[in-house]
C-alpha cells in the first residue's frame, strides 16, 4: 500500500541505486530516477511501475555537468513539488596510487562524487525543508564507501571523495537537522555490482555485500522520525579484515 512518499534517486539505472529504487517502488512511492543514459532509465522506470511505484519521472543527467545536476533537481521539484528522500548514489570509482593517478582523473572523481552531491543538496534544500515542514521529516541518503572511513591502498583519491561526502553530510546535519532534514551516509565495503567487477577474481561477487543489504539500510533510514539523526553506517564484510573494503 502506498505511503505517498516521493524520492529522487541518482545512479538508479543499475547496481545499488536500482536496488534502492526497487525498495521504494515496492512501497508505492513516486520516484524521479536519474543516470546518464535515457534508454536504461526508461526500461528501469517500466520495471519500477510494475513493482508498484506510483509516478516515475526519468531525468537523465551527467554528474560531471553541474548545470545538468541542478536541472535534475529543479526538474524533480517541477514534477513533484516535494522530496521526502534524496538518494545521492551515482558515483564512480578509480584505482591508482598517489604516485600514478593523473590529476585529471582525480578531478573527475571529485566532480561526480563530491561536487554533484553538493549541488543536489543545495538546489533541493528549499524543497527538503518545505517537505519536512509539511510532513514532519525529509531524509538525505548518500552512498559513501568504507574507504572514506578506513583508507585502502590505491584508493586514495576515491576514498578521499567519500570522506569528503561523509563530512559534507555531517555538516549538513549540524545546519539542517533542526529543520527536520537530516542526512545519512552509508559506507559499504565491496558490493556485488558492475563497479566491483575488477576485483572479482580475488573476491567472488557472491562473497560481497549485496545491493539488497544496502537497500535495506536505505529503506530503514526513510522510516526514522525527524528526531533520529543517523550520521554514518559502515557496512563491512565477514572475516578478520573488519575495516578493510
Ligand atoms: N560497488 C561497490 O563495491 C561499492 C562500495 C562502496 C560504495 N559504492 C558506491 O555506491 C554507489 C553506487 O555504485 P554501484 O556499485 O551501484 O555502481 P554501478 O553499478 O557502477 O552503478 C553506478 C550508477 O551510477 C551512474 N553513474 C555513473 N557515473 C555517472 C555520471 N557521471 N553521471 C550520472 N550517473 C552516473 C550509473 O549509470 P550510467 O552509467 O548509466 O550513467 C549507474 O546507475 C557509488 O557512489 C559507489 O561509489 C560502491
Amino acid at each position: 500500500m502506498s505511503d505517498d512518499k516521493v524520492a529522487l534517486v541518482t545512479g538508479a539505472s543499475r547496481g545499488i541505486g536500482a536496488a534502492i529504487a526497487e525498495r521504494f517502488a515496492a512501497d508505492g512511492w513516486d520516484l524521479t530516477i536519474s543516470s546518464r543514459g535515457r534508454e536504461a532509465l526508461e526500461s528501469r522506470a517500466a520495471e519500477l511501475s510494475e513493482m508498484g511505484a506510483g509516478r516515475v519521472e526519468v531525468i537523465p543527467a551527467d554528474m560531471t555537468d553541474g548545470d545538468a545536476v541542478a536541472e535534475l533537481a529543479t526538474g524533480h521539484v517541477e514534477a513533484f513539488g516535494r522530496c521526502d528522500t534524496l538518494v545521492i548514489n551515482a558515483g564512480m570509482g578509480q584505482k591508482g596510487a598517489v604516485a600514478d593517478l593523473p590529476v585529471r582523473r582525480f578531478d573527475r572523481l571529485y566532480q561526480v562524487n563530491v561536487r554533484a552531491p553538493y549541488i543536489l543538496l543545495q538546489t533541493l534544500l528549499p524543497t527538503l525543508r518545505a517537505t519536512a515542514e509539511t510532513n514532519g521529516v525529509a531524509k538525505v541518503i548518500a552512498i559513501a564507501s568504507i574507504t572514506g572511513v578506513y583508507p585502502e591502498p590505491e584508493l586514495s583519491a576515491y576514498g578521499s571523495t567519500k570522506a569528503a561526502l561523509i563530512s559534507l553530510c555531517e555538516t549538513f546535519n549540524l545546519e539542517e537537522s533542526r529543520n527536520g532534514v537530516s542526512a545519512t551516509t552509508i559506507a559499504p565495503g565491496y558490493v556485488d555490482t558492475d563497479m566491483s567487477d575488477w576485483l572479482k577474481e580475488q573476491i567472488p561477487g557472491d562473497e560481497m555485500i549485496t545491493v539488497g543489504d544496502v537497500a535495506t539500510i536505505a529503506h530503514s533510514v526513510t522510516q526514522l522520525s525527524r528526531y533520529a539523526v543517523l550520521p554514518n553506517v559502515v557496512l563491512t564484510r565477514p572475516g578478520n579484515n573488519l575495516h578493510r573494503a
Side-chain angles (χ1 to χ4, degrees), residues 129-175:
R129 282 182 184 154
T131 304
E133 196 168 321
T134 311
N135 304 303
V137 63
K139 297 288 183 191
V140 176
I141 297 163
I143 309 302
S145 160
I146 200 168
T147 61
V149 183
Y150 304 104
E152 195 79 14
E154 299 196 66
L155 293 176
S156 66
Y158 175 73
S160 71
T161 64
K162 297 302 190 177
L165 183 60
I166 292 167
S167 174
L168 170 60
C169 289
E170 292 198 344
T171 310
F172 181 85
N173 285 338
L174 293 172
E175 295 171 356

Side-chain angles (χ1 to χ4, degrees), residues 11 13-14 16 36 61-63 89 143-144 158 162 189 191 193:
S13 59
R14 53 200 160 86
I16 294 168
R36 284 168 296 189
D62 186 335
M63 295 292 129
N89 164 77
I143 309 302
Y158 175 73
K162 297 302 190 177
V191 183
T193 69

